[in-house]
Amino acid sequence: MCAVGIPCFSQSLSTPFPFSFKNTRTNELQNPAALHSVFQRIREGKPVKVMLIGDSHTRGNIYPRSVEATLKARFPNVEFAYYGINGAWARRFYEQDMIQRVSAERPQLVIISFGTNEAHGDFLESAHTSTLDLLTQRISDRCPGVLFLLTTPPGSYISVRTGGRYTTGRGRRRRTRYATTKVRNERTERVARNIVNYGNAHHIAVWDLFSIAGGPTYSPSNWRDAGLMQADGVHYLAQGYQLQGTLLAEAIIRAYETVAPKGSQTRMMQPPTPQEQRPNASLQGF
């Protein structure tokens, strides 16, 4: 039986990874009990406002709309808003204009989804921790009682020189270029680990996509080899963003089922390990 006032949910909560993915983990939140008060509002049939903030993956609409559609299929009383900025670091959102934008939505839950751009800069754990402190504190000051959910980035590549040099064009259009190759951005692991550590230290829920989808050895190669990543090695194809958004929403729903109080009519469940399916075609030349 489902909770009183909430329709039963037919989705399996086990959207599969492509079968080419290696070293995947169960799709679940860390510290799910940290979202108890939001889950309680849902059980009571009260409206819950969820806001997702992030960089280009949020700005591109596909990822947040996938989160929204999956959540609303389970929780009709959830309202959803999102705002993303291309190339943004988390620190951009603790500035006053962004705090005002977030607080204007009056959210009960803010999903903070950054990390890819931080991993492409000079990353310092101490500075990143201070950023998360300021961001969560300033939102909390304007939105009393708000809860947070942190996400880790899925992984990306960086270009490195291979030593070869060549020229293109003629005359004034002549340019010197260097042969490059793409290698896994190892800083992503440091960013993801710092986000997880911050969540654990502050009792904040975390969706560690980096570890769930392969960890330091296979993320981002899992996404690339399944044909879900763009040729730049940073951004994802629509199918990749859609899968990531669905997985995030399913992890939230699974946490709701797990955290449900004793004696409630909400069904309890143990999540299965993601199943396998046929991969998309790999990108040519990458």
Side-chain angles (χ1 to χ4, degrees), residues 154-193:
S156 61
Y157 289 88
I158 56 175
S159 295
V160 297
R161 293 183 183 179
T162 57
R165 185 172 67 177
Y166 61 97
T167 58
T168 61
R170 296 180 179 180
R172 296 177 63 181
R173 295 181 179 274
R174 188 178 180 87
R175 296 288 186 273
T176 298
R177 301 186 184 278
Y178 295 87
T180 62
T181 188
K182 284 182 169 54
V183 299
R184 180 171 58 86
N185 186 353
E186 296 182 353
R187 284 191 293 270
T188 306
E189 180 182 2
R190 293 172 54 199
V191 174
R193 182 170 59 246

Side-chain angles (χ1 to χ4, degrees), residues 128-173:
H128 186 230
T129 298
S130 295
T131 291
L132 294 175
D133 280 336
L134 282 170
L135 179 58
T136 55
Q137 185 59 57
R138 290 180 180 180
I139 293 175
S140 295
D141 288 345
R142 296 289 295 272
C143 305
V146 69
L147 298 181
F148 299 99
L149 169 57
L150 306 176
T151 77
T152 64
S156 61
Y157 289 88
I158 56 175
S159 295
V160 297
R161 293 183 183 179
T162 57
R165 185 172 67 177
Y166 61 97
T167 58
T168 61
R170 296 180 179 180
R172 296 177 63 181
R173 295 181 179 274

Side-chain angles (χ1 to χ4, degrees), residues 210-252:
F210 182 76
S211 296
I212 290 168
T217 302
Y218 294 104
S219 185
S221 62
N222 277 340
W223 299 97
R224 178 199 62 190
D225 295 345
L228 297 174
M229 179 178 278
Q230 293 187 24
D232 64 5
V234 178
H235 300 93
Y236 289 78
L237 296 177
Q239 299 94 322
Y241 287 129
Q242 186 174 32
L243 175 58
Q244 291 169 13
T246 300
L247 290 170
L248 170 55
E250 288 182 352
I252 294 171

